[in-house]
Amino acid sequence: MTLQRSLVLIKPDGVQRGLSGEIIKRIEQTGLKIIAIKMVWVDKNFAKNHYFDVGARHGEKVLKSLVDYLTEGPVIAICFEGVDTIAVIRKIAGSTYPNEALPGTIRGDFAHISKNYANTNDRKVGNLIHASANEEDAQKELKLWFSIDEMHSYKRSDENHLI
Ligand code: IDP
Ligand code: MG
């Protein structure tokens, strides 16, 4: 059985707004399993390593805003494991820009800022959660955030219904 892993970060706004439990609940209740979790306050260098391709995709101004955002306070880093984990979590997270994210998604239910407002008013796109975009990114990101001995293998009691 090939299971897939994804990195989730509850970004500083999610932690500071007390939404950590709500965000974890929405993902965990699908049956995806937490196999690693910790709170970390990263520095700018670490944030740049994590967002290694954002400068190329969105430009240096967005990268700076994002690095400032991620280092505003502690984040909660989680590794989830399950079937089609990356796509399932991206679906629950919703679109990048909260004004476009559908109701029922984390970003749609708990934020509303638009790309245009953020960029014309020098505000961050506070969208509460990072979720790995694809398998290659997930592997890179998990290596950056967790050591092997922080990842755990155990059975969920409802596993026979889920996978
Ligand atoms: P994702 O988080 O949905 O995967 P990415 O394109 O990987 O979206 O962008 C990473 C993060 O960069 C976003 O979650 C958001 O916080 C931030 N971001 C994206 N576009 C902009 C922008 O135009 N201005 C400021 N921040 C942005
Ligand atoms: Mg991304």
Side-chain angles (χ1 to χ4, degrees):
M1 182 158 31
T2 317
L3 297 177
Q4 191 180 55
R5 293 175 176 176
S6 178
L7 176 77
V8 163
L9 302 177
I10 302 173
K11 291 175 170 177
D13 51 343
V15 172
Q16 289 170 30
R17 291 179 57 199
L19 291 169
S20 305
E22 177 68 30
I23 291 169
I24 293 169
K25 186 196 82 176
R26 287 176 177 220
I27 301 170
E28 195 180 25
Q29 73 187 4
T30 66
L32 288 172
K33 188 197 291 183
I34 295 174
I35 62 164
I37 184 165
K38 64 181 173 186
M39 180 178 261
V40 208
W41 195 331
V42 300
D43 62 21
K44 292 192 178 190
N45 206 33
F46 190 100
K48 273 186 205 150
N49 283 339
H50 169 73
Y51 281 122
F52 66 96
D53 66 343
V54 165
R57 286 196 293 116
H58 292 299
E60 289 306 310
K61 198 167 172 238
V62 167
L63 177 62
K64 189 192 175 301
S65 151
L66 187 52
V67 165
D68 288 347
Y69 172 22
L70 202 74
T71 56
E72 255 174 21
V75 305
I76 293 176
I78 310 164
C79 176
F80 281 98
E81 184 185 76
V83 178
D84 215 8
T85 306
I86 291 169
V88 170
I89 296 174
R90 300 275 299 185
K91 174 187 70 173
I92 295 167
S95 299
T96 302
Y97 305 105
N99 67 314
E100 295 171 8
L102 294 176
T105 64
I106 291 165
R107 289 163 168 176
D109 286 352
F110 298 110
H112 69 284
I113 199 166
S114 70
K115 175 178 179 155
N116 182 48
Y117 181 90
N119 291 339
T120 52
N121 294 281
D122 270 327
R123 304 291 296 159
K124 64 179 181 256
V125 173
N127 57 6
L128 305 158
I129 178 173
H130 164 81
S132 304
N134 55 57
E135 186 99 36
E136 195 189 330
D137 283 7
Q139 278 167 20
K140 259 190 228 163
E141 292 170 5
L142 286 167
K143 228 180 255 170
L144 182 66
W145 286 86
F146 291 108
S147 61
I148 298 281
D149 63 356
E150 289 174 315
M151 315 267 276
H152 299 282
S153 177
Y154 66 97
K155 215 171 164 37
R156 267 181 66 147
S157 60
D158 54 358
E159 217 160 90
N160 58 325
H161 299 291
L162 292 165
I163 55 178

